[in-house]
Structures are given as structure tokens and as C-alpha cells.
Amino acid sequence: MAEHSQDLLALYMPDARVARCAAEPAVDKPGAFIITARVAGSTNAVRLGVQCVYDGTRRLQALVMDQPLRLPDGVRVAATTALPIETVMHALAIARHAPTTPGDDLTLKTAKMDSFYGDKDYHKGTMRTMIRGSVPVPYESFSQITEFAIMAMPTMEGVAGPIHTFSCMSEGISTGKKPKYTHYFMASADPEVKKPCGFFIATLHDNTLDFVYTWITDDVYSETDYNKLRAKMASTPAIFRRSLKYGLYTVAVNGDVHSANGVPLLMRGSKSRATAVKVKPPKAVISDQ
């Protein structure tokens, strides 16, 4: 399992790298493994569970994985499907000889981020983000999609934003000429507290998923990082609180990662708040010599 863990992981999320592969300690699940990985260029964790299926003579027959997969020939495999071991090994052999570098095929129309850290109590720090864009997909219905994963904040200067993963729920799907999916994020796990803290709305047409995503969260900073940020911004002269930086955004649909790299972001900061807004790239300066 250790030998093939990276290749198995690539069937779920090609841009992740294995950090650890270990046997599941559960006694009633012999042959169960957990592959823990990191998204490339970030510290975001990815988990893939693998269950070995044996015959009566303890010969390996199949693998069952708890995440949706995509085989090298483009076939989609739903989570918890038993894949014959011959199919698995054939897919891994093909994948090893296939190019693995993904292209930047996430089209971003709007990207905004607003972080508030003005209160002395770090529990009151919040982050708002809004992303509008589109990605190419091979689906005609949302019933074919099981999971979305969106990088809520862009990766900049080696610091990765959190990845927000959520399932595609059947109750949010509406059908028609232009299938639509609506998903509200709730601020509390208590079903009696119906307070939304964001939403994801998407439509499908011509093998394209158009979406708008917004999310508000107060689970952004540790107390130490929060206080460091407040101290840094309090001592930074106003002239240095405005800059142009370039970020990386990713959106995954059923584990297929779509990215937009080098997104120009106008950064503004104050002693209590920081914002980042996608802008048009600056025009090249042409020297008349």
C-alpha cells in the first residue's frame, strides 16, 4: 500500500502529495488504510480511506475507496465502489505515463476577500470571501457530482488559504434546460439555529459549471497569529498598506482540481481590516526610446 499510495491518491486528487500512509487500527476492518496527504503548495490536509477486499484464501480481489475517483480513461467511479484489483493496477500503470501538470482552466470573473481583526478578542475575527467564476466539467446533471472543494482564500507568498469542502446534496438540485444547484452554509450545527453564513449557487450548461460562492467564517486565526497580525498592522506605515499581489485559486469538482494562477489582487490594509480584490492586470509600460 505504501508503494502505490501516491498513485492511488492521484486518482482522487492529482495535485495532492502523500504525507503518511498507515493501517487503520480498527480490529473489525482488516486491510483498511488511511492515506493522509497535503495539497501541493499548501498545508491543507486531504484524507483517502482504502479498504482491501480479499477472497476466502486471503487473496486480494478489490479495493474500495471512500472518495470519488477518476480513472485515466476518464471513467468516473463513485465513492465506496469495489474496484477489481486488475482494474486498479491497470489504471495506475497508465497514469504513471500520463502528463500530470494541470492547466489553469478556472475562469475567475470576481474574487473578493475581507478580513476583520479590529477587536482585541480573537474570537471576533472574521473573514468574508466571494468568488464568481466557471470551470469546464464533463457533467450534464448535478446528480453526477458528489463533492465540491473551494480554496476560500487565495494562496499568496507561500501561505495557503483554507479549503472549504462540502457535499452536493440532492435537496439543492433543480432540473430543467439549465440545471441549477443551491447550497446554503449554516453558522451552527444546531438544526434549530437556521442562520446562513454563505451560499454556493451553480448552473450547468455546455459542459461548463458557472458558480458564485460566498462564505463568512470566524474560524480564521489562532490567538497567537491574530495578535501578531494586529501588532504588525498597527506598526505598518499607511504607505505600505496598499500593494498589488498575485494569488492562486483552486476549485475542485469530484476531486478534479481547476486552478487560476497569477490572479492580480489589489491589497488594502488598515489597523483593523484587510481586503483583497481581483483587478485587471496592469498594462505593460512601453518605453519610447
mmCIF file of all heavy atoms in Angstrom, residues 84-102:
data_model
loop_
_atom_site.group_PDB
_atom_site.id
_atom_site.type_symbol
_atom_site.label_atom_id
_atom_site.label_comp_id
_atom_site.label_asym_id
_atom_site.label_seq_id
_atom_site.Cartn_x
_atom_site.Cartn_y
_atom_site.Cartn_z
ATOM 1 N N PRO A 84 -12.167 -3.943 -8.999
ATOM 2 C CA PRO A 84 -11.323 -5.142 -9.097
ATOM 3 C C PRO A 84 -9.847 -4.758 -9.122
ATOM 4 O O PRO A 84 -9.474 -3.742 -9.724
ATOM 5 C CB PRO A 84 -11.767 -5.775 -10.420
ATOM 6 C CG PRO A 84 -13.158 -5.269 -10.633
ATOM 7 C CD PRO A 84 -13.178 -3.880 -10.078
ATOM 8 N N ILE A 85 -9.019 -5.528 -8.477
ATOM 9 C CA ILE A 85 -7.607 -5.182 -8.356
ATOM 10 C C ILE A 85 -6.939 -5.089 -9.733
ATOM 11 O O ILE A 85 -6.025 -4.286 -9.938
ATOM 12 C CB ILE A 85 -6.867 -6.188 -7.440
ATOM 13 C CG1 ILE A 85 -5.489 -5.648 -7.070
ATOM 14 C CG2 ILE A 85 -6.812 -7.563 -8.068
ATOM 15 C CD1 ILE A 85 -5.506 -4.340 -6.304
ATOM 16 N N GLU A 86 -7.404 -5.894 -10.720
ATOM 17 C CA GLU A 86 -6.853 -5.802 -12.074
ATOM 18 C C GLU A 86 -7.116 -4.416 -12.675
ATOM 19 O O GLU A 86 -6.249 -3.830 -13.320
ATOM 20 C CB GLU A 86 -7.451 -6.888 -12.973
ATOM 21 C CG GLU A 86 -7.081 -8.309 -12.596
ATOM 22 C CD GLU A 86 -8.005 -8.878 -11.533
ATOM 23 O OE1 GLU A 86 -8.887 -8.124 -11.036
ATOM 24 O OE2 GLU A 86 -7.852 -10.066 -11.192
ATOM 25 N N THR A 87 -8.329 -3.894 -12.447
ATOM 26 C CA THR A 87 -8.671 -2.560 -12.946
ATOM 27 C C THR A 87 -7.806 -1.492 -12.293
ATOM 28 O O THR A 87 -7.327 -0.561 -12.946
ATOM 29 C CB THR A 87 -10.162 -2.257 -12.684
ATOM 30 O OG1 THR A 87 -10.960 -3.247 -13.318
ATOM 31 C CG2 THR A 87 -10.546 -0.879 -13.200
ATOM 32 N N VAL A 88 -7.607 -1.615 -10.975
ATOM 33 C CA VAL A 88 -6.795 -0.644 -10.237
ATOM 34 C C VAL A 88 -5.368 -0.620 -10.762
ATOM 35 O O VAL A 88 -4.814 0.448 -11.069
ATOM 36 C CB VAL A 88 -6.811 -0.962 -8.733
ATOM 37 C CG1 VAL A 88 -5.849 -0.037 -7.990
ATOM 38 C CG2 VAL A 88 -8.210 -0.832 -8.166
ATOM 39 N N MET A 89 -4.734 -1.774 -10.875
ATOM 40 C CA MET A 89 -3.333 -1.820 -11.274
ATOM 41 C C MET A 89 -3.160 -1.357 -12.721
ATOM 42 O O MET A 89 -2.167 -0.709 -13.061
ATOM 43 C CB MET A 89 -2.790 -3.241 -11.103
ATOM 44 C CG MET A 89 -2.820 -3.742 -9.662
ATOM 45 S SD MET A 89 -2.089 -2.574 -8.461
ATOM 46 C CE MET A 89 -0.374 -2.575 -8.994
ATOM 47 N N HIS A 90 -4.144 -1.659 -13.572
ATOM 48 C CA HIS A 90 -4.090 -1.186 -14.954
ATOM 49 C C HIS A 90 -4.172 0.340 -14.995
ATOM 50 O O HIS A 90 -3.428 1.000 -15.738
ATOM 51 C CB HIS A 90 -5.237 -1.802 -15.759
ATOM 52 C CG HIS A 90 -5.227 -1.434 -17.212
ATOM 53 N ND1 HIS A 90 -4.224 -1.817 -18.075
ATOM 54 C CD2 HIS A 90 -6.119 -0.721 -17.958
ATOM 55 C CE1 HIS A 90 -4.478 -1.340 -19.285
ATOM 56 N NE2 HIS A 90 -5.624 -0.682 -19.248
ATOM 57 N N ALA A 91 -5.065 0.911 -14.185
ATOM 58 C CA ALA A 91 -5.214 2.369 -14.136
ATOM 59 C C ALA A 91 -3.941 3.035 -13.622
ATOM 60 O O ALA A 91 -3.513 4.076 -14.142
ATOM 61 C CB ALA A 91 -6.398 2.739 -13.242
ATOM 62 N N LEU A 92 -3.310 2.449 -12.609
ATOM 63 C CA LEU A 92 -2.089 3.035 -12.061
ATOM 64 C C LEU A 92 -0.960 2.984 -13.081
ATOM 65 O O LEU A 92 -0.156 3.918 -13.185
ATOM 66 C CB LEU A 92 -1.678 2.299 -10.782
ATOM 67 C CG LEU A 92 -2.673 2.348 -9.621
ATOM 68 C CD1 LEU A 92 -2.041 1.774 -8.358
ATOM 69 C CD2 LEU A 92 -3.168 3.765 -9.363
ATOM 70 N N ALA A 93 -0.869 1.897 -13.845
ATOM 71 C CA ALA A 93 0.181 1.775 -14.854
ATOM 72 C C ALA A 93 0.025 2.834 -15.936
ATOM 73 O O ALA A 93 1.010 3.444 -16.389
ATOM 74 C CB ALA A 93 0.155 0.378 -15.471
ATOM 75 N N ILE A 94 -1.238 3.088 -16.364
ATOM 76 C CA ILE A 94 -1.488 4.110 -17.386
ATOM 77 C C ILE A 94 -1.196 5.499 -16.830
ATOM 78 O O ILE A 94 -0.569 6.332 -17.493
ATOM 79 C CB ILE A 94 -2.948 4.030 -17.877
ATOM 80 C CG1 ILE A 94 -3.179 2.710 -18.615
ATOM 81 C CG2 ILE A 94 -3.285 5.216 -18.784
ATOM 82 C CD1 ILE A 94 -4.617 2.497 -19.037
ATOM 83 N N ALA A 95 -1.635 5.751 -15.597
ATOM 84 C CA ALA A 95 -1.478 7.080 -15.000
ATOM 85 C C ALA A 95 -0.015 7.467 -14.838
ATOM 86 O O ALA A 95 0.344 8.641 -14.958
ATOM 87 C CB ALA A 95 -2.178 7.123 -13.647
ATOM 88 N N ARG A 96 0.846 6.510 -14.592
ATOM 89 C CA ARG A 96 2.267 6.810 -14.404
ATOM 90 C C ARG A 96 2.909 7.361 -15.666
ATOM 91 O O ARG A 96 3.916 8.054 -15.598
ATOM 92 C CB ARG A 96 3.006 5.553 -13.956
ATOM 93 C CG ARG A 96 2.739 5.175 -12.507
ATOM 94 C CD ARG A 96 3.564 3.984 -12.079
ATOM 95 N NE ARG A 96 3.345 3.660 -10.670
ATOM 96 C CZ ARG A 96 3.982 2.687 -10.037
ATOM 97 N NH1 ARG A 96 4.876 1.942 -10.676
ATOM 98 N NH2 ARG A 96 3.747 2.452 -8.762
ATOM 99 N N HIS A 97 2.329 7.046 -16.839
ATOM 100 C CA HIS A 97 2.894 7.503 -18.101
ATOM 101 C C HIS A 97 2.120 8.673 -18.693
ATOM 102 O O HIS A 97 2.398 9.100 -19.804
ATOM 103 C CB HIS A 97 2.922 6.355 -19.115
ATOM 104 C CG HIS A 97 3.823 5.235 -18.709
ATOM 105 N ND1 HIS A 97 3.389 4.177 -17.927
ATOM 106 C CD2 HIS A 97 5.135 5.007 -18.954
ATOM 107 C CE1 HIS A 97 4.397 3.341 -17.722
ATOM 108 N NE2 HIS A 97 5.463 3.810 -18.335
ATOM 109 N N ALA A 98 1.146 9.182 -17.937
ATOM 110 C CA ALA A 98 0.334 10.299 -18.423
ATOM 111 C C ALA A 98 0.848 11.603 -17.842
ATOM 112 O O ALA A 98 1.390 11.632 -16.737
ATOM 113 C CB ALA A 98 -1.132 10.089 -18.030
ATOM 114 N N PRO A 99 0.718 12.710 -18.562
ATOM 115 C CA PRO A 99 1.121 14.005 -18.007
ATOM 116 C C PRO A 99 0.268 14.361 -16.798
ATOM 117 O O PRO A 99 -0.939 14.122 -16.793
ATOM 118 C CB PRO A 99 0.886 14.992 -19.166
ATOM 119 C CG PRO A 99 -0.117 14.308 -20.046
ATOM 120 C CD PRO A 99 0.152 12.838 -19.908
ATOM 121 N N THR A 100 0.864 14.955 -15.772
ATOM 122 C CA THR A 100 0.146 15.227 -14.533
ATOM 123 C C THR A 100 0.004 16.716 -14.228
ATOM 124 O O THR A 100 -0.610 17.073 -13.243
ATOM 125 C CB THR A 100 0.875 14.560 -13.350
ATOM 126 O OG1 THR A 100 2.235 15.041 -13.298
ATOM 127 C CG2 THR A 100 0.894 13.050 -13.506
ATOM 128 N N THR A 101 0.596 17.581 -15.052
ATOM 129 C CA THR A 101 0.538 19.009 -14.768
ATOM 130 C C THR A 101 -0.790 19.591 -15.234
ATOM 131 O O THR A 101 -1.086 19.602 -16.426
ATOM 132 C CB THR A 101 1.685 19.751 -15.478
ATOM 133 O OG1 THR A 101 2.922 19.182 -15.062
ATOM 134 C CG2 THR A 101 1.668 21.231 -15.114
ATOM 135 N N PRO A 102 -1.647 20.052 -14.325
ATOM 136 C CA PRO A 102 -2.944 20.579 -14.735
ATOM 137 C C PRO A 102 -2.826 21.979 -15.327
ATOM 138 O O PRO A 102 -1.924 22.740 -14.989
ATOM 139 C CB PRO A 102 -3.726 20.614 -13.415
ATOM 140 C CG PRO A 102 -2.677 20.815 -12.379
ATOM 141 C CD PRO A 102 -1.452 20.080 -12.876
#
